[in-house]
Amino acid sequence: MGHLRRIAVHVDEPDPGHFFWVLMEEGDDASQWKELESAGEPHEMWLDALHAGVRALEGHAPDERIGPRMPGDDEDASPVG
């Protein structure tokens, strides 16, 4: 299984009353973050944008028990010998 991806969600307000969720992922250097995904349309309320961002983050985790993972070894695969 690959490592857990470090993805953060935050809300941006480029214009008053226009709230956009943004997903950022940690880059190769822990001090560098890159935008992974963001809302296409604004929300009227900060909380609505935040909830939509969390749902988008959940979409990056195909299995809710283990969260979003980097591609890696499949722990269920047979060992190669």
Side-chain angles (χ1 to χ4, degrees):
M1 177 182 332
H3 290 83
L4 187 63
R5 294 169 67 184
R6 294 179 186 228
I7 302 173
V9 61
H10 71 271
V11 176
D12 192 19
E13 185 185 23
D15 296 309
H18 292 88
F19 300 99
F20 292 82
W21 57 265
V22 181
L23 296 182
M24 302 289 287
E25 184 166 20
E26 184 181 62
D28 294 333
D29 177 348
S31 67
Q32 300 293 317
W33 289 77
K34 60 184 177 187
E35 186 173 311
L36 180 63
E37 188 178 354
S38 62
E41 297 292 327
H43 295 268
E44 293 180 7
M45 292 177 43
W46 173 87
L47 190 58
D48 290 341
L50 179 63
H51 287 167
V54 169
R55 285 191 302 275
L57 174 56
E58 290 170 344
H60 287 271
D63 184 336
E64 64 187 26
R65 295 170 296 163
I66 62 169
R69 298 286 172 158
M70 295 295 293
D73 296 334
D74 180 359
E75 64 184 22
D76 295 326
S78 352
V80 177

Coordinates of all heavy atoms in Angstrom, one line a residue:
M1 N 0.9 -1.2 0.0 CA 0.0 0.0 0.0 C 0.9 1.2 0.0 O 1.9 1.3 0.7 CB -0.9 0.0 1.2 CG -1.8 1.2 1.4 SD -2.8 1.2 2.9 CE -3.1 -0.4 3.3
G2 N 0.5 2.2 -0.8 CA 1.3 3.4 -0.8 C 1.1 4.3 0.4 O 0.2 4.0 1.2
H3 N 1.9 5.3 0.5 CA 1.8 6.2 1.6 C 0.5 7.1 1.5 O 0.1 7.4 0.4 CB 3.0 7.2 1.7 CG 4.3 6.4 2.0 ND1 5.0 5.7 1.1 CD2 4.9 6.3 3.2 CE1 6.1 5.2 1.7 NE2 6.0 5.5 3.0
L4 N 0.1 7.5 2.7 CA -1.1 8.4 2.7 C -0.7 9.8 2.1 O 0.4 10.3 2.4 CB -1.5 8.6 4.2 CG -2.8 9.4 4.5 CD1 -4.0 8.7 3.9 CD2 -2.9 9.6 6.0
R5 N -1.5 10.3 1.2 CA -1.2 11.6 0.6 C -1.6 12.7 1.5 O -2.6 12.6 2.3 CB -2.1 11.7 -0.7 CG -1.7 10.7 -1.7 CD -2.7 10.7 -2.9 NE -2.7 11.9 -3.6 CZ -3.6 12.2 -4.6 NH1 -4.5 11.3 -5.0 NH2 -3.5 13.3 -5.3
R6 N -0.8 13.7 1.6 CA -1.0 14.9 2.4 C -1.8 15.9 1.6 O -1.2 16.7 0.8 CB 0.3 15.4 2.9 CG 1.0 14.5 3.9 CD 2.2 15.0 4.4 NE 2.9 14.0 5.2 CZ 3.4 14.2 6.3 NH1 3.4 15.4 6.9 NH2 4.0 13.2 7.0
I7 N -3.1 15.9 1.8 CA -3.9 16.8 1.0 C -4.7 17.7 2.0 O -5.2 17.2 3.0 CB -5.0 16.0 0.1 CG1 -4.2 15.1 -0.8 CG2 -5.9 17.0 -0.6 CD1 -5.2 14.2 -1.6
A8 N -4.7 19.0 1.8 CA -5.4 19.9 2.7 C -6.5 20.6 1.9 O -6.4 20.8 0.7 CB -4.4 21.0 3.2
V9 N -7.5 21.0 2.6 CA -8.6 21.7 2.0 C -8.7 23.1 2.7 O -8.5 23.2 3.9 CB -10.0 21.0 2.1 CG1 -10.4 20.7 3.5 CG2 -11.1 21.7 1.4
H10 N -8.9 24.1 1.9 CA -9.1 25.5 2.5 C -10.1 26.2 1.6 O -10.4 25.8 0.5 CB -7.8 26.2 2.7 CG -7.2 26.7 1.4 ND1 -6.3 26.0 0.7 CD2 -7.3 27.9 0.7 CE1 -5.9 26.6 -0.3 NE2 -6.5 27.8 -0.4
V11 N -10.5 27.3 2.1 CA -11.5 28.2 1.4 C -10.9 29.5 1.0 O -10.2 30.1 1.9 CB -12.8 28.4 2.2 CG1 -13.7 29.3 1.5 CG2 -13.5 27.0 2.5
D12 N -11.0 29.9 -0.2 CA -10.5 31.2 -0.7 C -11.6 32.1 -1.0 O -12.7 31.6 -1.4 CB -9.6 30.9 -1.9 CG -8.8 32.1 -2.3 OD1 -8.6 33.0 -1.5 OD2 -8.3 32.1 -3.5
E13 N -11.4 33.4 -0.8 CA -12.5 34.4 -1.1 C -11.8 35.5 -2.0 O -11.5 36.5 -1.5 CB -13.1 35.0 0.2 CG -14.2 35.9 -0.1 CD -14.7 36.6 1.2 OE1 -13.9 36.7 2.2 OE2 -15.8 37.0 1.2
P14 N -11.7 35.3 -3.3 CA -11.0 36.3 -4.1 C -11.8 37.6 -4.2 O -11.2 38.6 -4.4 CB -10.9 35.6 -5.5 CG -11.9 34.5 -5.5 CD -12.1 34.1 -4.0
D15 N -13.1 37.5 -4.1 CA -14.0 38.6 -4.2 C -15.0 38.5 -3.0 O -15.4 37.3 -2.7 CB -14.8 38.7 -5.5 CG -13.9 38.9 -6.7 OD1 -13.1 39.8 -6.6 OD2 -14.1 38.1 -7.6
P16 N -15.4 39.6 -2.3 CA -16.3 39.5 -1.2 C -17.5 38.6 -1.5 O -18.2 38.9 -2.5 CB -16.6 40.9 -0.9 CG -15.5 41.7 -1.4 CD -15.0 40.9 -2.6
G17 N -17.8 37.6 -0.6 CA -19.0 36.8 -0.8 C -18.9 35.7 -1.8 O -19.9 35.1 -2.1
H18 N -17.7 35.5 -2.4 CA -17.5 34.5 -3.4 C -16.5 33.5 -2.9 O -15.3 33.8 -2.9 CB -17.0 35.0 -4.8 CG -18.1 35.8 -5.5 ND1 -18.3 37.2 -5.2 CD2 -19.0 35.5 -6.3 CE1 -19.3 37.6 -6.0 NE2 -19.8 36.6 -6.6
F19 N -16.9 32.3 -2.3 CA -16.1 31.4 -1.6 C -15.8 30.2 -2.5 O -16.8 29.6 -3.0 CB -16.7 31.0 -0.3 CG -17.0 32.1 0.6 CD1 -18.2 32.7 0.7 CD2 -16.0 32.6 1.4 CE1 -18.5 33.7 1.5 CE2 -16.2 33.7 2.3 CZ -17.5 34.2 2.3
F20 N -14.6 29.8 -2.7 CA -14.1 28.7 -3.5 C -13.3 27.7 -2.6 O -12.4 28.2 -1.8 CB -13.2 29.1 -4.6 CG -13.8 30.0 -5.7 CD1 -14.0 31.3 -5.5 CD2 -14.3 29.4 -6.9 CE1 -14.6 32.1 -6.5 CE2 -14.9 30.1 -7.9 CZ -15.1 31.5 -7.7
W21 N -13.6 26.5 -2.7 CA -12.8 25.5 -2.0 C -11.6 25.2 -2.8 O -11.6 25.3 -4.0 CB -13.6 24.2 -1.6 CG -14.2 23.5 -2.8 CD1 -15.5 23.6 -3.3 CD2 -13.5 22.6 -3.7 NE1 -15.7 22.8 -4.4 CE2 -14.5 22.2 -4.7 CE3 -12.3 22.0 -3.8 CZ2 -14.2 21.3 -5.7 CZ3 -12.0 21.1 -4.8 CH2 -12.9 20.8 -5.7
V22 N -10.5 24.8 -2.2 CA -9.2 24.5 -2.9 C -8.6 23.3 -2.2 O -8.5 23.3 -0.9 CB -8.2 25.7 -2.8 CG1 -7.0 25.4 -3.5 CG2 -8.9 27.0 -3.4
L23 N -8.2 22.3 -2.9 CA -7.4 21.2 -2.4 C -5.9 21.5 -2.8 O -5.6 21.7 -3.9 CB -7.8 19.9 -3.0 CG -9.3 19.4 -2.7 CD1 -9.5 18.0 -3.3 CD2 -9.5 19.4 -1.2
M24 N -5.1 21.4 -1.8 CA -3.6 21.5 -2.0 C -2.9 20.2 -1.5 O -3.4 19.6 -0.5 CB -3.1 22.7 -1.1 CG -3.7 24.0 -1.4 SD -3.3 24.7 -3.0 CE -1.6 25.2 -2.7
E25 N -1.9 19.8 -2.3 CA -1.2 18.6 -1.9 C 0.3 18.9 -1.7 O 0.9 19.7 -2.4 CB -1.3 17.5 -3.0 CG -0.6 16.2 -2.7 CD -1.0 15.1 -3.6 OE1 -1.5 15.3 -4.7 OE2 -0.8 13.9 -3.1
E26 N 0.8 18.3 -0.7 CA 2.2 18.5 -0.4 C 3.1 18.1 -1.5 O 2.9 17.0 -2.1 CB 2.6 17.8 0.9 CG 4.0 18.0 1.4 CD 4.3 17.2 2.6 OE1 4.3 16.0 2.6 OE2 4.6 17.8 3.7
G27 N 4.1 18.9 -1.9 CA 5.0 18.5 -2.9 C 6.2 17.6 -2.4 O 6.1 17.1 -1.3
D28 N 7.2 17.5 -3.2 CA 8.4 16.7 -2.8 C 9.1 17.3 -1.6 O 9.6 16.6 -0.8 CB 9.4 16.6 -4.0 CG 8.8 15.9 -5.2 OD1 7.9 15.0 -5.0 OD2 9.2 16.1 -6.3
D29 N 9.0 18.6 -1.5 CA 9.6 19.3 -0.4 C 8.4 19.7 0.5 O 7.4 20.3 0.1 CB 10.3 20.6 -0.9 CG 10.8 21.5 0.2 OD1 10.5 21.2 1.4 OD2 11.6 22.4 -0.1
A30 N 8.5 19.3 1.8 CA 7.4 19.5 2.7 C 7.0 21.0 2.9 O 5.8 21.2 3.3 CB 7.7 18.9 4.1
S31 N 7.8 21.9 2.5 CA 7.4 23.3 2.6 C 6.7 23.8 1.3 O 6.3 24.9 1.2 CB 8.7 24.2 2.8 OG 9.5 24.1 1.7
Q32 N 6.6 22.9 0.3 CA 6.0 23.3 -1.0 C 4.7 22.6 -1.1 O 4.6 21.4 -1.0 CB 6.9 23.0 -2.1 CG 8.2 23.7 -2.1 CD 8.1 25.1 -2.3 OE1 7.4 25.6 -3.1 NE2 8.8 25.9 -1.5
W33 N 3.6 23.3 -1.4 CA 2.3 22.8 -1.7 C 1.8 23.2 -3.1 O 2.1 24.3 -3.5 CB 1.3 23.3 -0.6 CG 1.6 22.7 0.7 CD1 2.5 23.1 1.6 CD2 0.9 21.6 1.3 NE1 2.5 22.3 2.7 CE2 1.5 21.4 2.6 CE3 -0.2 20.8 1.0 CZ2 1.0 20.4 3.5 CZ3 -0.7 19.9 1.8 CH2 -0.1 19.7 3.1
K34 N 1.2 22.3 -3.8 CA 0.7 22.6 -5.1 C -0.8 22.4 -5.1 O -1.4 21.6 -4.4 CB 1.3 21.7 -6.2 CG 1.1 20.2 -5.9 CD 1.9 19.4 -6.9 CE 1.6 17.9 -6.6 NZ 2.4 17.0 -7.3
E35 N -1.5 23.2 -5.9 CA -3.0 23.1 -6.0 C -3.3 21.8 -6.8 O -2.8 21.6 -7.9 CB -3.6 24.3 -6.8 CG -5.1 24.3 -6.8 CD -5.7 25.6 -7.3 OE1 -5.3 26.7 -6.9 OE2 -6.6 25.4 -8.2
L36 N -4.2 21.1 -6.2 CA -4.6 19.8 -6.8 C -5.9 19.9 -7.5 O -6.1 19.4 -8.6 CB -4.7 18.8 -5.6 CG -5.1 17.4 -6.0 CD1 -4.1 16.7 -6.9 CD2 -5.3 16.5 -4.7
E37 N -6.8 20.7 -6.9 CA -8.2 20.8 -7.5 C -8.8 22.0 -6.8 O -8.5 22.4 -5.7 CB -8.9 19.6 -7.2 CG -10.3 19.4 -7.8 CD -10.9 18.1 -7.5 OE1 -10.3 17.2 -6.9 OE2 -12.1 17.9 -7.9
S38 N -9.8 22.7 -7.5 CA -10.5 23.8 -6.9 C -11.9 23.8 -7.5 O -12.2 23.3 -8.5 CB -9.8 25.1 -7.1 OG -9.7 25.4 -8.4
A39 N -12.8 24.6 -6.8 CA -14.2 24.8 -7.2 C -14.2 25.5 -8.5 O -13.4 26.5 -8.7 CB -14.9 25.5 -6.1
G40 N -15.1 25.1 -9.4 CA -15.3 25.9 -10.6 C -16.2 27.0 -10.5 O -16.2 28.0 -11.2
E41 N -17.1 27.0 -9.5 CA -18.1 28.0 -9.3 C -18.0 28.4 -7.8 O -17.8 27.6 -6.9 CB -19.5 27.5 -9.6 CG -19.7 27.2 -11.1 CD -19.6 28.4 -12.0 OE1 -20.1 29.5 -11.6 OE2 -19.2 28.2 -13.1
P42 N -18.3 29.7 -7.5 CA -18.3 30.1 -6.1 C -19.5 29.6 -5.3 O -20.6 29.4 -5.8 CB -18.2 31.6 -6.2 CG -19.0 31.9 -7.4 CD -18.6 30.8 -8.4
H43 N -19.3 29.6 -4.0 CA -20.4 29.4 -3.0 C -20.7 30.7 -2.3 O -19.8 31.5 -2.2 CB -20.0 28.3 -2.0 CG -19.8 26.9 -2.6 ND1 -20.7 26.0 -2.7 CD2 -18.7 26.4 -3.2 CE1 -20.3 24.9 -3.2 NE2 -19.0 25.1 -3.6
E44 N -21.9 30.9 -1.9 CA -22.3 32.1 -1.3 C -21.9 32.1 0.2 O -21.8 33.2 0.8 CB -23.8 32.3 -1.4 CG -24.2 32.6 -2.8 CD -25.7 32.8 -2.9 OE1 -26.4 32.9 -1.9 OE2 -26.2 32.9 -4.0
M45 N -21.7 30.9 0.8 CA -21.3 30.8 2.2 C -20.0 30.1 2.3 O -19.8 29.0 1.7 CB -22.4 30.1 3.0 CG -23.7 30.9 3.1 SD -25.0 30.0 4.0 CE -24.2 29.3 5.4
W46 N -19.2 30.5 3.3 CA -17.9 29.9 3.5 C -18.1 28.4 3.9 O -17.4 27.5 3.4 CB -17.2 30.7 4.7 CG -15.9 30.0 5.1 CD1 -14.7 30.1 4.6 CD2 -15.8 29.0 6.2 NE1 -13.8 29.3 5.3 CE2 -14.4 28.7 6.3 CE3 -16.7 28.5 7.1 CZ2 -14.0 27.7 7.2 CZ3 -16.2 27.6 8.0 CH2 -14.9 27.2 8.1
L47 N -19.0 28.2 4.8 CA -19.3 26.8 5.3 C -19.7 25.8 4.1 O -19.3 24.7 4.1 CB -20.3 26.8 6.4 CG -20.4 25.4 7.1 CD1 -19.1 25.0 7.8 CD2 -21.5 25.5 8.2
D48 N -20.5 26.3 3.2 CA -20.9 25.5 2.1 C -19.7 25.2 1.2 O -19.5 24.0 0.7 CB -21.9 26.2 1.2 CG -23.3 26.3 1.9 OD1 -23.5 25.6 2.8 OD2 -24.1 27.2 1.4
A49 N -18.8 26.1 1.0 CA -17.6 25.9 0.3 C -16.7 24.9 1.0 O -16.1 24.0 0.3 CB -16.8 27.2 0.0
L50 N -16.6 25.0 2.3 CA -15.7 24.1 3.0 C -16.3 22.7 2.9 O -15.6 21.7 2.7 CB -15.7 24.5 4.5 CG -14.9 23.6 5.4 CD1 -13.4 23.5 5.0 CD2 -15.0 24.0 6.9
H51 N -17.6 22.5 3.1 CA -18.2 21.2 3.0 C -18.0 20.6 1.6 O -17.7 19.4 1.5 CB -19.7 21.2 3.3 CG -20.0 21.4 4.8 ND1 -21.2 21.8 5.3 CD2 -19.2 21.3 5.9 CE1 -21.2 21.9 6.6 NE2 -19.9 21.6 7.0
A52 N -18.2 21.4 0.6 CA -17.9 20.9 -0.8 C -16.5 20.5 -1.0 O -16.2 19.5 -1.7 CB -18.3 22.0 -1.8
G53 N -15.6 21.2 -0.4 CA -14.1 20.9 -0.5 C -13.8 19.6 0.2 O -13.1 18.7 -0.3
V54 N -14.4 19.3 1.4 CA -14.3 18.1 2.1 C -14.8 16.9 1.2 O -14.2 15.8 1.1 CB -14.9 18.1 3.5 CG1 -14.9 16.7 4.1 CG2 -14.2 19.1 4.4
R55 N -16.0 17.1 0.6 CA -16.5 16.0 -0.3 C -15.5 15.8 -1.4 O -15.4 14.6 -1.8 CB -17.9 16.4 -0.8 CG -19.0 16.3 0.3 CD -20.4 16.4 -0.3 NE -20.6 17.7 -1.0 CZ -21.0 18.8 -0.4 NH1 -21.1 18.9 0.9 NH2 -21.2 19.9 -1.1
A56 N -14.9 16.8 -2.0 CA -14.0 16.6 -3.1 C -12.8 15.8 -2.6 O -12.2 15.0 -3.2 CB -13.5 18.0 -3.6
L57 N -12.3 16.2 -1.4 CA -11.2 15.4 -0.8 C -11.6 14.0 -0.6 O -10.8 13.1 -0.9 CB -10.8 16.1 0.6 CG -9.8 15.3 1.4 CD1 -8.5 15.1 0.6 CD2 -9.5 16.1 2.7
E58 N -12.8 13.7 -0.1 CA -13.2 12.3 0.1 C -13.2 11.6 -1.3 O -13.0 10.3 -1.3 CB -14.6 12.3 0.7 CG -14.7 12.7 2.1 CD -16.1 12.9 2.6 OE1 -17.1 13.0 1.8 OE2 -16.3 13.0 3.8
G59 N -13.4 12.3 -2.4 CA -13.4 11.6 -3.7 C -12.0 11.1 -4.1 O -11.9 10.3 -5.0
H60 N -11.0 11.6 -3.4 CA -9.6 11.1 -3.7 C -9.3 9.9 -2.8 O -8.1 9.4 -2.9 CB -8.6 12.2 -3.4 CG -8.6 13.3 -4.4 ND1 -7.8 13.3 -5.5 CD2 -9.3 14.5 -4.5 CE1 -8.0 14.4 -6.2 NE2 -9.0 15.1 -5.6
A61 N -10.2 9.4 -2.0 CA -10.0 8.2 -1.2 C -11.0 7.1 -1.6 O -12.1 7.1 -1.2 CB -10.2 8.6 0.3
P62 N -10.5 6.2 -2.5 CA -11.5 5.2 -3.0 C -11.9 4.2 -1.8 O -12.9 3.6 -2.0 CB -10.7 4.4 -4.0 CG -9.2 4.8 -3.8 CD -9.2 6.1 -3.1
D63 N -11.1 4.2 -0.8 CA -11.5 3.4 0.4 C -11.5 4.3 1.6 O -10.4 4.7 2.0 CB -10.5 2.2 0.5 CG -10.9 1.2 1.6 OD1 -11.6 1.6 2.6 OD2 -10.4 0.1 1.6
E64 N -12.6 4.5 2.2 CA -12.7 5.4 3.3 C -12.0 5.0 4.6 O -11.7 5.7 5.5 CB -14.2 5.7 3.7 CG -15.0 4.5 4.1 CD -16.4 4.8 4.3 OE1 -17.0 5.7 3.7 OE2 -17.0 4.1 5.1
R65 N -11.7 3.7 4.6 CA -11.0 3.1 5.8 C -9.5 3.5 5.8 O -8.9 3.6 6.9 CB -11.1 1.6 5.8 CG -12.5 1.1 6.1 CD -12.6 -0.3 5.9 NE -12.3 -0.6 4.5 CZ -12.0 -1.8 4.0 NH1 -11.9 -2.9 4.8 NH2 -11.7 -2.0 2.8
I66 N -8.9 3.8 4.6 CA -7.5 4.0 4.6 C -7.1 5.4 4.0 O -6.0 5.8 4.0 CB -6.7 2.9 3.8 CG1 -7.2 2.9 2.3 CG2 -6.9 1.6 4.5 CD1 -6.4 2.0 1.4
G67 N -8.1 6.1 3.4 CA -7.9 7.5 2.9 C -7.2 7.5 1.6 O -7.0 6.4 0.9
P68 N -6.8 8.7 1.1 CA -6.2 8.8 -0.2 C -4.7 8.3 -0.1 O -4.0 8.7 0.8 CB -6.2 10.3 -0.5 CG -6.4 11.0 0.8 CD -7.1 10.0 1.7
R69 N -4.3 7.5 -1.0 CA -3.0 6.9 -1.0 C -2.2 7.2 -2.3 O -2.8 7.3 -3.3 CB -3.1 5.3 -0.8 CG -3.7 4.9 0.5 CD -2.8 5.1 1.6 NE -3.4 4.9 2.9 CZ -2.8 4.6 4.0 NH1 -1.4 4.5 4.0 NH2 -3.4 4.4 5.1
M70 N -0.9 7.2 -2.1 CA 0.0 7.3 -3.3 C 0.0 5.9 -4.0 O -0.2 4.9 -3.3 CB 1.4 7.7 -2.9 CG 1.5 9.0 -2.3 SD 1.1 10.4 -3.4 CE 2.5 10.3 -4.5
P71 N 0.2 5.9 -5.3 CA 0.3 4.6 -5.9 C 1.4 3.8 -5.3 O 2.5 4.4 -4.9 CB 0.6 4.9 -7.4 CG 0.2 6.3 -7.6 CD 0.3 7.0 -6.2
G72 N 1.2 2.5 -5.0 CA 2.3 1.7 -4.4 C 2.0 0.3 -4.5 O 1.1 -0.1 -5.3
D73 N 2.6 -0.5 -3.7 CA 2.5 -2.0 -3.7 C 1.0 -2.3 -3.3 O 0.5 -1.7 -2.3 CB 3.5 -2.6 -2.8 CG 4.9 -2.4 -3.3 OD1 5.1 -2.2 -4.5 OD2 5.8 -2.5 -2.4
D74 N 0.5 -3.3 -3.9 CA -0.8 -3.8 -3.6 C -0.6 -4.9 -2.5 O 0.0 -5.9 -2.8 CB -1.6 -4.4 -4.8 CG -2.9 -4.9 -4.4 OD1 -3.3 -4.9 -3.3 OD2 -3.6 -5.4 -5.4
E75 N -1.1 -4.6 -1.3 CA -0.8 -5.6 -0.2 C -1.5 -6.9 -0.4 O -1.1 -7.9 0.2 CB -1.2 -5.0 1.1 CG -2.6 -4.7 1.3 CD -3.0 -4.1 2.6 OE1 -2.1 -3.5 3.2 OE2 -4.2 -4.2 3.0
D76 N -2.5 -7.0 -1.3 CA -3.2 -8.2 -1.6 C -2.6 -9.0 -2.8 O -3.0 -10.1 -3.0 CB -4.7 -7.9 -1.9 CG -5.4 -7.4 -0.7 OD1 -5.1 -7.7 0.4 OD2 -6.3 -6.5 -0.9
A77 N -1.6 -8.4 -3.4 CA -1.0 -9.0 -4.6 C -0.1 -10.2 -4.1 O 0.5 -10.1 -3.0 CB -0.2 -8.0 -5.4
S78 N 0.1 -11.2 -5.0 CA 1.0 -12.3 -4.6 C 2.4 -11.8 -4.7 O 2.8 -11.0 -5.6 CB 0.9 -13.5 -5.5 OG -0.2 -13.4 -6.4
P79 N 3.3 -12.2 -3.8 CA 4.7 -11.8 -3.9 C 5.4 -12.4 -5.1 O 5.1 -13.5 -5.6 CB 5.3 -12.4 -2.6 CG 4.3 -13.4 -2.1 CD 3.0 -13.1 -2.7
V80 N 6.3 -11.6 -5.7 CA 7.0 -12.1 -6.9 C 8.3 -12.7 -6.4 O 9.0 -12.1 -5.5 CB 7.3 -10.9 -7.8 CG1 8.2 -11.3 -9.0 CG2 6.0 -10.2 -8.2
G81 N 8.6 -13.9 -6.8 CA 9.7 -14.6 -6.2 C 10.7 -15.0 -7.2 O 11.7 -15.4 -7.2

